[in-house]
Amino acid sequence: MFSHDRIWAAIDALAERNRLSPSGLARRAGLDPTSFNKSKRQGADGRQRWPSTESIAKVLDATGASIDEFLASTARDFALPQGTFPPQAGSIPLLGFAQAGAGGFFDDGGFPAGQGWDVVEFPASPDRKAGVYALEVQGDSMMPLYRDGDVLIVEPGAQVRRGDRVVVKTREGEVMAKVLHRQTPRTIDLVSLNPEHPNRSFDVDEIDWIARIIWASQ
């Protein structure tokens, strides 16, 4: 039987076979680059989102794969595409802030990917655990709220509102934890946790992703 996970796994495997990210596969097929992002696979209300038959037809045409090959892929168990983080019972991915700015650790939606992640125990439901990860604070730039060694639990798919503590990654690779002061269609204003560090403002196109901090070990 088809399942939501198997259909998306087949798309991920198709991208991997063609040495593409899911967003790269979408671009090759002439689709919106975010069409296959992990953040698009589930709605804000928790409902599963499925790729359309038109989208599947376009990626098959773009890659030269047959529908039989694609359907065969959905009928077998998948190994995770190379480079993705394998979920483990009772644990979530963990990365240090100093490493988070380097390329290859996140997909286009700000979800964990690539190699080099550790794991940390986190008591959450299986559904939520699949969409969260942990960042370990390094240094004193977030004092007095967060200290060196504190672990921040981040949920990329969570709705972000004014006043939320967030982690932001810029397109230049800078990763920071701030408080969201204001977000408009054009700009994002952030307040620093440490009063000795300046507040920051960015144009929206300067931001790679923004994710809400949902918990911190202190």
Side-chain angles (χ1 to χ4, degrees):
M1 292 181 62
F2 295 124
S3 73
H4 179 265
D5 289 343
R6 286 176 184 266
I7 288 291
W8 281 113
I11 289 176
D12 288 340
L14 185 61
E16 179 69 19
R17 286 199 298 272
N18 286 273
R19 299 179 181 275
L20 296 168
S21 65
S23 61
L25 178 63
R27 289 191 189 93
R28 179 177 289 188
L31 302 170
D32 185 300
T34 66
S35 297
F36 300 149
N37 284 2
K38 289 181 174 61
S39 59
K40 294 292 186 72
R41 302 180 186 187
Q42 191 171 34
D45 58 359
R47 294 183 181 180
Q48 294 176 336
R49 289 178 175 173
W50 295 68
S52 68
T53 53
E54 180 182 10
S55 296
I56 293 174
K58 286 184 176 181
V59 298
L60 294 179
D61 183 61
T63 59
S66 69
I67 186 63
D68 289 338
E69 291 171 337
F70 185 81
L71 293 176
S73 294
T74 66
R76 64 175 180 267
D77 291 331
F78 274 89
L80 287 168
Q82 184 180 2
T84 58
F85 184 89
Q88 302 178 31
S91 64
I92 61 173
L94 170 69
L95 190 68
F97 258 90
Q99 290 77 42
F105 287 109
F106 301 94
D107 68 12
D108 292 343
F111 288 83
Q115 306 294 324
W117 290 82
D118 291 324
V119 295
V120 64
E121 295 296 315
F122 180 61
S125 66
D127 289 341
R128 190 171 205 184
K129 190 177 294 180
V132 302
Y133 59 89
L135 292 175
E136 184 178 1
V137 175
Q138 296 168 325
D140 60 1
S141 64
M142 303 176 206
M143 291 278 285
L145 190 59
Y146 302 131
R147 295 173 171 80
D148 185 65
D150 286 347
V151 174
L152 310 183
I153 307 300
V154 178
E155 186 173 9
Q159 185 176 2
V160 177
R161 299 182 178 90
R162 181 174 181 174
D164 285 343
R165 296 168 186 171
V166 296
V167 173
V168 176
K169 183 174 184 291
T170 69
R171 295 193 183 278
E172 293 184 351
E174 185 179 4
V175 178
M176 65 198 82
K178 303 285 186 183
V179 176
L180 179 64
H181 175 63
R182 182 176 60 182
Q183 183 172 6
T184 73
R186 295 184 178 181
T187 62
I188 293 177
D189 296 331
L190 304 169
V191 175
S192 291
L193 302 172
N194 188 330
E196 295 183 2
H197 289 251
N199 299 335
R200 305 287 296 275
S201 293
F202 296 94
D203 291 337
V204 169
D205 59 8
E206 294 180 282
I207 300 298
D208 194 5
W209 50 258
I210 180 170
R212 184 157 63 93
I213 299 171
I214 61 170
W215 187 82
S217 68
Q218 296 175 293

